Amino acid sequence: MTSRRHEGWIATRGSALRGGIVVPGDKSISHRAVMLAALADGVSRIDGFLEGADTRATAAIFAQMGVRIESPSTSRRIVHGAGVDGLRAPSGVLDCGNAGTGMRLLSGLLSAQPFDSVLAGDESLSRRPMNRVIEPLSRMGARIDAEDGGLPPLRIRGGQRLEGIDFQSPVASAQVKSAVLLAGLFARGETSVREPHPTRDYTERMLSAFGVDIEHSPGFARVRGGQRLRATDIAVPADFSSAAFFIVAATLVPGSELRLRGVGVDPRRTGLLAALRAMGADIVEERSASHGGKPVADLVVRHAPLRGIEVPVELVPDMIDEFPVLAVAAACARGTTVIGGAAELRVKESDRIAAMAAGLRSLGVQVEERTDGAVIEGGALRGGAIDSLGDHRIAMAFAVAGQCVDGEVAIKDVANVATSFPGFDDLARQAGFGLRAR
Ligand code: S3P
């Protein structure tokens, strides 16, 4: 049974979460691995590739541009790089599906190609702001037309000569930074990006692994245009953002002791660990290792009672994808949790502040919605009905909520869970969740 075949789930209390599980590969790293391998000279092997709809859409886009990509087995890709000058004009629209990362990073890369291209996405992606990439790329000389308000589809005019820029990004966004750096690879001179808060540096590190000379430090990156990429092999760790649902569930369900194996624990991704520990969670990192220069560890999570906190604003970019599940932890904690400085949540796959507030209220939780966050009163949850608004992380967060409810949580519209976490429902049941198709 996979999530894709079902319209919805019923989540109920299950058993204590025990044993060891491995969640699928990191989405951010999988997107970038395919992109850079496609641009490299030579053959790259990717292990641990996320078989999600988002990352498969990115791979399909490169195949449409003439890159040969073999899938010898699940989670493996062999990419025959076309070289920085080897992509071919696609014959149709390039469909990014649900993936903001796919569309924004590709907008940078395609701005520098000799051919025209069109990037489109699903209903959710078609509502997400693209001016944040169009503006800096246009300053570099790119020509991109969007719908009113800077919305997709993006029509990118090829054959432009790009110039390097020194870009001070107004948003802490790894996608914006990466779009500019990828365009910078093809631009004349140097391209620098400065961020208001350091974000995940996967693009910078992976460019370096592909032999590109790039200077970077937290919040800053600079690349010189005109360099070639050298094929390399990439091992993708388990995605912390997928592990997050199990971390919170094991924390909330009495008697749990769950080991999540081989999770990427980059500090720019693991703000949730700091927030949960401040709330009283018991999470231990074991078997820590370095995986291509990045930390990976087993996370051992034991049940612990939680108390509400004021989430430190400086943690927000490091846990930006984890707020749906943090909100569930807050609803089950003793006392009040205050989330602020997180207005970006309004422009994710859904308006996540509104989606979480509505969902939690239907479970009887008191929530005050704010422009840039929410105030959540912890307490007992009751059964209710949730509309995930087609947002994978909202759907999975409420599957976690169902583990703490006397009654049933009915979750509508869960097909998009397959964008980031194919097989979530099977793995969740295996770990101890009460979760079935409705
Ligand atoms: C991502 C960056 C973040 C994150 C998204 C993946 C990436 O988005 O929310 O899920 O892979 O670079 P922003 O760059 O919009 O913050």
Side-chain angles (χ1 to χ4, degrees):
M1 249 199 297
T2 65
S3 28
R4 189 164 266 286
R5 273 181 269 142
H6 298 295
E7 276 287 302
W9 292 328
I10 305 283
T12 53
R13 276 189 204 277
S15 51
L17 277 66
R18 306 198 66 93
I21 60 169
V22 183
V23 302
D26 188 284
K27 179 148 76 94
S28 294
I29 296 177
S30 296
H31 277 298
R32 287 161 172 84
V34 168
M35 290 182 190
L36 298 193
L39 292 177
D41 297 314
V43 178
S44 301
R45 280 170 193 76
I46 305 172
D47 260 327
F49 180 75
L50 170 65
E51 297 287 0
D54 276 10
T55 42
R56 289 164 73 118
T58 292
I61 284 173
F62 283 94
Q64 260 178 281
M65 293 193 290
V67 179
R68 202 175 130 220
I69 304 176
E70 294 174 71
S71 317
S73 56
T74 308
S75 303
R76 282 237 158 96
R77 292 294 184 278
I78 299 174
V79 182
H80 298 259
V84 276
D85 41 10
L87 296 181
R88 288 209 304 263
S91 53
V93 169
L94 302 171
D95 183 1
C96 301
N98 191 244
T101 304
M103 183 171 286
R104 295 200 177 112
L105 270 59
L106 278 161
S107 69
L109 204 141
L110 293 174
S111 289
Q113 299 304 316
F115 49 80
D116 294 351
S117 52
V118 181
L119 289 171
D122 69 4
E123 214 186 302
S124 150
L125 184 53
S126 301
R127 284 194 302 266
R128 297 184 66 187
M130 293 297 148
N131 277 338
R132 53 181 60 197
V133 286
I134 296 174
E135 277 164 16
L137 294 173
S138 301
R139 274 179 50 202
M140 298 176 80
R143 292 184 61 190
I144 306 176
D145 289 326
E147 300 296 303
D148 286 351
L151 299 181
L154 301 182
R155 292 182 175 74
I156 303 176
R157 195 79 61 83
Q160 311 303 314
R161 180 141 183 72
L162 302 189
E163 298 286 336
I165 52 167
D166 186 350
F167 178 55
Q168 172 67 57
S169 180
V171 274
S173 162
Q175 294 176 355
V176 171
K177 169 177 63 177
S178 303
V180 173
L181 291 175
L182 290 175
L185 257 188
F186 297 87
R188 214 157 55 125
E190 286 185 340
T191 296
S192 326
V193 183
R194 293 164 215 277
E195 304 180 282
H197 182 283
T199 63
R200 63 193 78 184
D201 59 0
Y202 297 147
T203 303
E204 297 91 306
R205 281 179 183 266
M206 210 182 285
L207 279 168
S208 176
F210 277 90
V212 171
D213 184 17
I214 177 166
E215 191 191 323
H216 63 104
S217 53
F220 174 78
R222 177 188 291 140
V223 70
R224 185 170 31 81
Q227 303 186 59
R228 296 196 75 86
L229 282 71
R230 211 173 41 234
T232 189
D233 294 344
I234 303 279
V236 182
D239 197 322
F240 181 83
S241 294
S242 296
F245 301 102
F246 290 93
I247 295 171
V248 171
T251 297
L252 295 178
V253 177
S256 296
E257 178 172 339
L258 187 68
R259 177 180 291 268
L260 292 139
R261 298 188 202 282
V263 182
V265 286
D266 186 271
R268 296 280 77 82
R269 294 288 301 282
T270 50
L272 178 75
L273 292 183
L276 287 175
R277 282 173 177 146
M279 295 171 83
D282 177 357
I283 307 161
V284 178
E285 291 173 43
E286 290 183 1
R287 291 158 43 91
S288 300
S290 168
H291 215 87
K294 286 293 203 185
V296 171
D298 282 6
L299 298 174
V300 181
V301 188
R302 294 182 184 87
H303 165 68
L306 298 181
R307 54 187 172 272
I309 58 162
E310 185 156 341
V311 178
V313 174
E314 62 276 12
L315 279 184
V316 167
D318 298 345
M319 55 182 292
I320 195 64
D321 292 332
E322 279 57 80
F323 281 95
V325 78
L326 176 83
V328 169
C332 300
R334 191 163 37 82
T336 308
T337 294
V338 182
I339 298 167
E344 274 292 298
L345 296 177
R346 298 229 178 248
V347 292
K348 292 294 179 187
E349 285 84 328
S350 68
D351 174 341
R352 286 184 172 159
I353 297 176
M356 289 310 299
L360 288 176
R361 282 189 194 122
S362 90
L363 304 186
V365 180
Q366 229 188 69
V367 185
E368 180 200 325
E369 191 177 328
R370 295 182 173 172
T371 336
D372 65 344
V375 180
I376 300 169
E377 299 298 335
L381 273 58
R382 58 163 194 251
I386 308 295
D387 187 348
S388 79
L389 303 175
D391 184 328
H392 55 137
R393 298 202 203 283
I394 300 293
M396 291 185 277
F398 280 101
V400 174
Q403 308 315 302
C404 312
V405 166
D406 288 325
E408 292 187 344
V409 177
I411 309 163
K412 202 170 103 180
D413 202 359
V414 301
N416 273 341
V417 166
T419 60
S420 69
F421 202 151
F424 167 79
D425 48 354
D426 286 337
L427 192 61
R429 274 189 293 273
Q430 183 194 316
F433 274 55
L435 187 65
R436 61 179 197 272
R438 44 192 298 224

